[in-house]
């Protein structure tokens, strides 16, 4: 059941929040030992919140479409009185004194927290067995990774353990798991959603966003968390539109931009079946009345190294003290990344910021004549967990990082499956704060392609 399906049933008292929460807890009990999506489960708290939601709805106090909806949170969102570990021994016993802004907003909307979800350590490690908890596994094939760093969020939504989740995205950490797990994941415009109370990785590239089964559900979750936050000076004061109004099956007259350079070049790091799936998606959009036009972003290949340099430099600055005093408590994968950050020079950081400005200007020019850009989300379907090489995330192309560098909104929606039955994601990116257009294109394609009707064979 999706959020959009469950909401009216809860509102009309045809479904009890308690029943829905119990169903999720039973599902978690049945399959999560294989998946390792949850690192902290809160069954008693969730049932108490569900009983409270049920009583409120019975009294006629219905808060809206998230009231009574069970969700999960990547384990770097602060939760008052509930440990937030960021999957690391460094913060294994950390219990925040207040909620992150987005957590408080979801609670105010009536959402019910089932628990905290697995991730890559400090959002930069990998599927590392030396981290605090075991790595999550892909529900489409347990031998494969689910993507990162919001791995548990992608797994929990795809496997039906919760109806929605929050992830964070600094180089693709929402859209990557969404792609590899065949769900929807949105990285909003930088400044659209507060990062207050979210364990930082790279303050100038971190984004918070929803991960759900459908585009409708993503719009509903974004509605609850978007908007200015006085506690986060990076948030914008721009008005928050009604995102559900954008959900129209109509892209007639719209123009789809296709940046073939970098994003569409097959090779050892980019699977031909991924490109074939995206080309088919473009054909679907054209058949629905959209014009498809090639655009140029001349220096796009430099966005990835700029993203990495900025990310590792800012991460090192945040972790510097603990790296000196508690180095042994970091997992192997993330420790290597953070130490690389310590080798960067100030000139490296400045040059990366210059590249950032260049690519940002070129993206803006490319978007002048089109409504959205469409690319693959990930170069390949999910890799095997056994023998996974973490260096690939530094050396392989990233189709998501350019939109962190520029701060533009970007969504991943299911775009098909490989010959082995592994998901392929389609990425749609738009202009600053134009999430409605991004959601509209994503929704129209979703409704035409119907990939959301296929569920993992657990």
């Amino acid at each position: 059941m999706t959020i959009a399906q469950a909401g009216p049933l809860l509102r009309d008292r045809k479904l009890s929040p308690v029943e829905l929460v119990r169903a999720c807890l039973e599902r978690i009990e049945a399959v999560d030992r294989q998946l390792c999506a949850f690192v902290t489960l809160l069954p008693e708290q969730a049932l108490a919140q569900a009983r409270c939601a049920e009583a409120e709805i019975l009294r006629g106090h219905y808060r809206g479409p998230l009231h009574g909806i069970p969700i999960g949170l990547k384990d770097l969102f602060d939760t008052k009185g509930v440990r937030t570990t960021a999957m690391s021994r460094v913060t294994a016993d950390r219990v925040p004194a207040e909620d992150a802004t987005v957590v408080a907003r979801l609670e105010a909307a009536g959402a019910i927290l089932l628990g905290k979800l697995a991730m890559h350590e400090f959002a930069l490690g990998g599927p590392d067995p030396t981290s605090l908890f075991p790595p999550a596994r892909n529900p489409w094939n347990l031998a494969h990774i689910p993507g990162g760093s919001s791995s548990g969020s992608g797994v929990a939504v795809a496997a039906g353990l919760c109806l929605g989740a929050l992830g964070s995205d600094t180089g693709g950490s929402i859209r990557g798991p969404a792609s590899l797990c065949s769900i929807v994941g949105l990285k909003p415009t930088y400044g659209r959603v507060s990062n207050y109370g979210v364990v930082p990785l790279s303050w100038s590239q971190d984004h918070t966003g929803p991960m759900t089964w459908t585009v409708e559900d993503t719009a509903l979750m974004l509605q609850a968390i978007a908007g200015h936050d006085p506690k986060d000076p990076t948030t914008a004061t721009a008005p928050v539109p009604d995102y559900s109004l954008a959900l129209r099956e109509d892209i007639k007259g719209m123009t789809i931009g296709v940046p073939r350079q970098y994003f569409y070049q097959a090779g050892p790091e980019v699977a031909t079946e991924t490109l074939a799936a995206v080309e088919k998606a473009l054909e679907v959009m054209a058949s629905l009345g959209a014009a498809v036009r090639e655009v140029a972003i001349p220096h796009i290949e430099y966005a990835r190294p700029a993203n990495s340099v900025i990310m590792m430099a800012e991460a090192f600055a945040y972790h510097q003290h603990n790296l000196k005093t508690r180095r042994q408590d970091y997992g192997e994968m993330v420790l290597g990344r953070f130490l690389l950050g310590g080798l960067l020079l100030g000139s490296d950081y400045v040059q990366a910021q210059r590249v950032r400005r260049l690519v940002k200007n070129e993206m803006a020019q490319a978007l002048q004549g089109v409504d959205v850009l469409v690319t693959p989300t990930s170069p390949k379907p999910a890799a095997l967990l056994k023998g996974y090489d973490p260096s690939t995330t530094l050396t392989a192309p990233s189709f998501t990082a350019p939109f962190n560098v520029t701060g533009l909104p970007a969504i991943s929606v299911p775009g098909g499956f490989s010959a082995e039955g592994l998901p392929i994601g389609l990425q749609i990116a738009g202009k600053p704060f134009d999430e409605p257009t991004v959601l509209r294109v994503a929704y129209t394609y979703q409704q035409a392609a119907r990939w959301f009707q296929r569920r993992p064979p657990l």
Side-chain angles (χ1 to χ4, degrees):
M1 187 175 291
T2 66
I3 296 173
Q5 291 170 336
L9 297 176
L10 292 165
R11 179 197 62 207
D12 297 339
R13 307 174 194 175
K14 295 178 181 178
L15 175 66
S16 161
V18 177
E19 292 173 335
L20 187 54
V21 166
R22 281 181 177 153
C24 287
L25 292 173
E26 288 171 5
R27 176 72 170 165
I28 293 166
E29 175 65 24
V31 301
D32 197 40
R33 275 174 253 179
Q34 306 170 64
L35 298 170
C36 303
F38 278 88
V39 297
T40 300
L41 191 61
L42 304 168
E44 293 180 5
Q45 175 180 307
L47 285 168
Q49 288 179 333
R51 285 189 285 269
C52 180
E54 183 177 64
E56 288 180 337
I57 294 170
L58 286 172
R59 290 197 304 268
H61 180 49
Y62 179 67
R63 301 191 197 183
L66 295 184
H67 200 176
I69 298 294
I71 63 162
L73 298 171
K74 184 176 182 177
D75 199 24
L76 49 55
F77 292 97
D78 281 358
T79 41
K80 183 179 180 180
V82 177
R83 69 174 182 168
T84 300
T85 72
M87 200 88 164
S88 178
R89 291 182 181 83
V90 176
T91 46
D93 301 316
R94 179 174 171 267
V95 179
E98 66 175 324
D99 287 329
T101 294
V102 289
V103 175
R105 288 179 176 177
L106 287 172
E107 184 178 351
I112 295 169
L113 178 61
L114 291 173
K116 310 298 283 293
L117 297 163
M119 55 181 287
H120 291 173
E121 184 174 359
F122 284 120
L124 187 61
D128 187 354
T130 68
S131 294
L132 181 60
F133 301 108
R137 293 177 176 267
N138 195 311
W140 294 92
N141 187 323
L142 298 175
H144 290 254
I145 64 170
S149 63
S150 306
S151 53
S153 300
V155 171
V157 172
L161 310 186
C162 59
L163 275 66
L166 286 188
S168 67
D169 191 315
T170 309
S173 293
I174 287 172
R175 291 157 291 153
S179 172
L180 301 190
C181 294
S182 196
I183 65 168
V184 177
L186 172 69
K187 181 197 78 64
T189 307
Y190 185 79
R192 178 78 287 180
V193 177
S194 173
N195 285 324
Y196 178 80
V198 185
V199 178
L201 172 58
S202 172
W203 68 268
S204 70
Q205 299 184 108
D206 290 344
H207 299 69
T208 290
M211 301 174 71
T212 67
W213 191 252
T214 64
V215 177
E216 304 96 292
D217 291 356
T218 284
L220 293 173
M221 287 194 73
L222 179 63
Q223 198 72 53
I225 62 175
H228 178 66
D229 176 16
K231 294 179 179 178
D232 181 355
T234 69
T235 52
T237 57
V240 177
D242 186 338
Y243 294 112
S244 292
L245 293 178
L247 305 179
R248 291 180 287 147
E249 293 182 55
D250 179 16
I251 55 173
K252 290 178 182 176
M254 298 182 75
T255 304
I256 308 298
V258 182
R260 294 205 174 275
Q261 174 196 356
Y262 183 75
F263 290 101
Y264 286 81
Q265 296 174 347
E269 301 296 342
V270 183
T272 55
E273 58 186 345
T274 294
L275 297 181
V278 177
E279 294 288 359
K280 187 165 185 180
L282 291 171
E283 291 174 8
V284 170
M285 293 180 186
S287 73
L288 295 170
V292 178
R293 178 180 133 195
E294 291 192 27
V295 297
I297 308 170
H299 295 91
I300 188 64
E301 66 267 27
Y302 298 110
R304 172 58 187 274
N307 169 258
S308 296
V309 168
I310 294 167
M311 182 191 305
M312 289 192 292
E314 292 179 356
F316 180 80
Y318 178 77
H319 287 275
Q320 186 171 4
H321 174 73
N322 283 333
L323 287 169
K324 290 178 178 178
T325 60
R326 303 187 58 181
R327 177 171 171 169
Q328 71 282 358
D329 292 328
Y330 287 89
E332 292 176 4
M333 288 187 184
V334 81
L335 177 62
R337 302 290 178 83
F338 287 158
L339 293 180
L340 275 176
L343 297 175
L344 295 169
L345 302 175
S347 57
D348 297 323
Y349 186 77
V350 170
Q351 292 287 57
Q353 294 288 5
R354 293 179 67 193
V355 170
R356 181 184 210 167
R357 172 54 59 184
L358 175 64
V359 174
K360 194 170 184 177
N361 289 341
E362 291 179 351
M363 282 267 200
Q365 291 172 7
L367 282 162
Q368 280 183 358
V370 301
D371 294 289
V372 294
L373 302 175
V374 171
T375 75
T377 307
S378 302
K380 289 182 177 181
L384 286 166
L385 182 61
K386 185 177 181 181
Y388 176 78
D389 181 4
S391 69
T392 58
T393 58
L394 290 176
T395 57
S398 171
F399 297 158
T400 51
F403 301 104
N404 292 88
V405 170
T406 58
L408 298 175
I411 194 171
S412 181
V413 295
F417 291 84
S418 71
E420 295 181 356
L422 292 169
I424 294 170
L426 179 76
Q427 181 172 228
I428 302 163
K431 298 165 186 171
F433 299 101
D434 194 14
E435 284 83 3
T437 298
V438 171
L439 290 167
R440 179 179 169 186
V441 175
Y443 178 73
T444 302
Y445 172 72
Q446 170 192 273
Q447 295 303 97
R450 313 298 289 180
W451 294 115
F452 65 90
Q453 294 178 334
R454 188 166 167 178
R455 289 272 185 171
L458 280 172

